């Protein structure tokens, strides 16, 4: 299994423009396109935090042992040392996600509370809604 650093992830995704702060933080809009799908399907361990928001399309996401079907308006978060993998349907339609990633170094500078985060984010994926009572958890 490969350890995925933030600079390596940014290079794999190769999307411009993006908002970034050196090798410690980035936000990008990622369109699903040929080639990217295959580069992210293998399991990776990421030493930071990744937040995903699906704008359109659908894909499968594994965080640790849990599998999720991510569709429009889903928000997912992975915490430090989680093992992640993505898979898109072959021949699936277009899609777009927004990704925010924060490096382990920046988390240490922010005095990130890992235990508190594990408690706060027991559920790693939710479907958002303009009606808060309709937010749901979708796990496969």
């Amino acid at each position: 299994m490969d350890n995925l650093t933030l600079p390596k992830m940014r290079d794999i995704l190769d999307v411009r423009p993006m908002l970034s702060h050196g090798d410690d933080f980035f936000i990008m809009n990622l369109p699903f396109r040929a080639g990217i799908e295959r580069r992210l399907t293998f399991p990776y361990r990421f030493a930071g935090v990744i937040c995903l928001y699906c704008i359109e399309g659908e894909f499968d996401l594994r965080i640790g042992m849990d599998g999720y079907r991510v569709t429009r308006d889903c928000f997912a978060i992975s915490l430090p040392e989680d093992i992640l993998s993505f898979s898109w349907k072959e021949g699936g339609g277009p899609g777009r996600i927004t990704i925010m990633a924060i490096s382990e170094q920046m988390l240490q500078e922010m005095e990130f509370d890992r235990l508190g985060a594990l408690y706060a984010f027991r559920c790693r994926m939710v479907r958002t809604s303009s009606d808060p009572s309709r937010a749901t958890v979708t796990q496969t």
Side-chain angles (χ1 to χ4, degrees):
M1 177 181 350
D2 199 6
N3 287 322
L4 189 61
T5 63
L6 193 138
K8 189 174 182 180
M9 180 182 209
R10 189 179 54 214
D11 291 344
I12 287 170
L13 298 175
D14 191 31
V15 172
R16 304 290 185 265
M18 84 171 108
L19 174 66
S20 69
H21 178 66
D23 288 340
D24 291 318
F25 175 85
F26 75 74
I27 297 175
M28 69 172 59
N29 287 317
L30 175 65
F32 300 175
R33 64 177 199 256
I36 286 178
E37 296 85 355
R38 282 182 228 105
R39 290 185 253 174
L40 293 174
T41 56
F42 298 102
Y44 293 96
R45 183 182 307 272
F46 185 71
V49 169
I50 298 175
C51 299
L52 303 168
Y53 181 75
C54 185
I55 298 166
E56 67 178 312
E58 61 183 64
F59 62 96
D60 291 320
L61 171 66
R62 292 201 68 76
I63 301 175
M65 299 299 288
D66 299 322
Y68 302 95
R69 184 77 187 147
V70 180
T71 59
R72 184 172 182 234
D73 292 332
C74 285
F75 173 82
I77 186 166
S78 78
L79 299 174
E81 302 305 319
D82 277 344
I83 298 170
L84 311 172
S85 66
F86 302 82
S87 60
W88 282 263
K89 285 187 174 179
E90 194 66 34
R96 201 164 33 112
I97 58 176
T98 296
I99 298 177
M100 179 183 78
I102 304 169
S103 73
E104 178 74 17
Q105 293 78 17
M106 183 174 266
L107 292 172
Q108 288 173 357
E109 290 173 19
M110 295 171 18
E111 297 180 10
F112 181 75
D113 179 8
R114 249 179 240 251
L115 249 30
L118 284 170
Y119 177 75
F121 296 108
R122 289 180 304 237
C123 174
R124 300 301 185 87
M125 208 260 324
V126 295
R127 182 176 318 284
T128 62
S129 171
S130 57
D131 177 2
S133 67
R134 295 183 44 118
T136 60
V137 175
T138 308
Q139 189 170 352
T140 57

